Structures are given as C-alpha cells and as structure tokens.
Amino acid sequence: MKKILMTGFEPFGGESINPALEAVKLLDGVVLNNGIIVAHQVPVTRFKAIEVVIEAIKYHQPDYVITVGQASGRAAITPERIAINMDDFRIADNDGNQPIDQPIIMNGPNAYFSTLPIKAITQALQQQGIPCQVSNTAGTFVCNHLFYGVQHYLRYTQIGHGFIHIPLLPQQATFGDQPSMSLDLIVAGLKIAAQAVIDNAFDIPLSGGSIC
C-alpha cells in the first residue's frame, strides 16, 4: 500500500477556520485503492511550516506528500505547477513575520516544479464533475513557502510532492463577493486527487496552460 501524507494549514488572517485543515482531518486514515492517507496539521508560519512537514515526512515515511492550502478568490481546486524561491507576504503570518522580497532558501534554485501528476489530477476531478484546473502560481505567502521548502528537502528523494489550493468554504464567503466550495466537495476532490497520484506514475498530456 502506498502512503500519502496530506497536510493542511491552520486558520490565519483572522479566520476561525481553514478548509485545508478541515478537509485533511476528514481524510486522515482513508483507505484508497492501493493506498492510505495520513493527515497532519501545519502552522501558517514562515520556516516552522517547512520544519513541521519535514518532521511529519520523517515520521510517516510516505511515498507521496500533498500539501494543501486555501486560496480566496478561486472557484476551483487547483493543483500548483511551480513554487518560486520568494517570500513576499502581503499580510503577516501567524507569528507576525512579514518578509518582503526575501528568498526562502538562500542561494536555492529560482523555482521547483511539482513532482505530482497535476494534469492527471485535474482530469480525474473534472471527469467527476468537480471544478479543477492547473494553477501556475502558488502566490508568495506561506503556501508557496511550504511548497518550495518541501520540494527543496525532497529534491534528492523518490518521494513525490506537490501543492493543491482549494476554495474558501461557504461560511467564509458570506459577503457574496468570493467564490466558495462545500467541504464535502473539497474532501471528495482531494480524495480523487490522492488516488490519481497513486494511479499515475507519469503525468498525462492534457492542456493546462493559459494565454496570459
């Protein structure tokens, strides 16, 4: 059985809930076809987030890691293609850090690409009627920070890793000016994504680019 470590961030930015954490908690221990998911909570804190996930990797010894975070303004589940070596926080993290234009890893590569089959994930969710599209930017906050840092740690291993952004929950979008997705649909989407990771040793040629 393959083991997938799936992580979710704690609430941040004055929120009382984070859909990433709520979703992965519900997926903890879920058995897949030839796999199982183990979940772990991550702080929204520069450097600590990376350290916590590295410790979880050491403890669980997974075959794959899927890090998950919320993305306000997005209407679909979005597997990320690339992480950049840049912290440029628009708001402070949960420890009050707000770096501007600072590298995550000094003298590290400019970017790392996901080592998960992001196109296969996208197709699997779309085929089940769940909104999903490839994203080409993970932002410059703690989501991108964690994505880059974990990729850097895993760079010489066979452990696949990638980051998936999910929409807000309906209770986070009560003003009506932000798209949202139900927790049930998010959980279903992440479960399908995890199965797609197990089922696809290589990604598929599916258009996922953008014009601008």
Side-chain angles (χ1 to χ4, degrees):
M1 291 247 301
K2 300 292 186 181
K3 184 183 291 185
I4 295 181
L5 172 64
M6 189 175 290
T7 74
F9 283 111
E10 66 188 4
F12 68 95
E15 295 275 2
S16 62
I17 194 170
N18 189 318
L21 180 58
E22 299 308 309
V24 302
K25 286 192 299 186
L26 292 174
L27 288 164
D28 188 32
V30 167
V31 176
L32 306 166
N33 182 17
N34 194 36
I36 188 170
I37 297 172
V38 294
H40 202 85
Q41 179 173 335
V42 182
V44 182
T45 306
R46 192 179 192 225
F47 299 126
K48 286 184 183 178
I50 298 170
E51 293 167 3
V52 165
V53 175
I54 288 174
E55 288 304 310
I57 291 169
K58 292 177 179 177
Y59 179 80
H60 290 290
Q61 295 292 301
D63 299 282
Y64 307 99
V65 182
I66 301 176
T67 42
V68 184
Q70 75 172 40
S72 59
R74 295 192 188 181
I77 294 174
T78 49
E80 297 292 345
R81 190 193 301 262
I82 189 168
I84 61 172
N85 190 17
M86 181 61 64
D87 280 341
D88 190 7
F89 291 6
R90 181 177 59 82
I91 61 173
D93 69 15
N94 283 355
D95 272 359
N97 302 302
Q98 194 172 0
I100 296 174
D101 298 339
Q102 294 184 24
I104 299 164
I105 304 292
M106 190 65 67
N107 299 319
N110 289 333
Y112 284 110
F113 285 91
S114 175
T115 48
L116 297 183
I118 59 173
K119 301 291 186 69
I121 291 170
T122 300
Q123 183 183 72
L125 268 72
Q126 290 175 347
Q127 288 177 340
Q128 295 300 313
I130 300 176
C132 185
Q133 61 188 47
V134 171
S135 168
N136 294 302
T137 175
T140 56
F141 192 51
V142 186
C143 290
N144 175 79
H145 177 89
L146 180 62
F147 184 8
Y148 184 94
V150 173
Q151 287 297 88
H152 185 77
Y153 173 72
L154 294 174
R155 66 195 184 280
Y156 298 129
T157 76
Q158 297 300 309
I159 300 173
H161 167 249
F163 195 96
I164 298 178
H165 267 120
I166 58 175
L168 299 177
L169 296 172
Q171 59 262 46
Q172 295 176 287
T174 54
F175 287 109
D177 59 350
Q178 294 270 37
S180 64
M181 184 178 287
S182 72
L183 182 59
D184 286 347
L185 197 59
I186 291 171
V187 170
L190 291 176
K191 182 180 178 181
I192 292 168
Q195 187 65 60
V197 167
I198 292 173
D199 292 343
N200 293 272
F202 302 97
D203 212 351
I204 60 175
L206 176 74
S207 177
S210 59
I211 300 297
C212 59

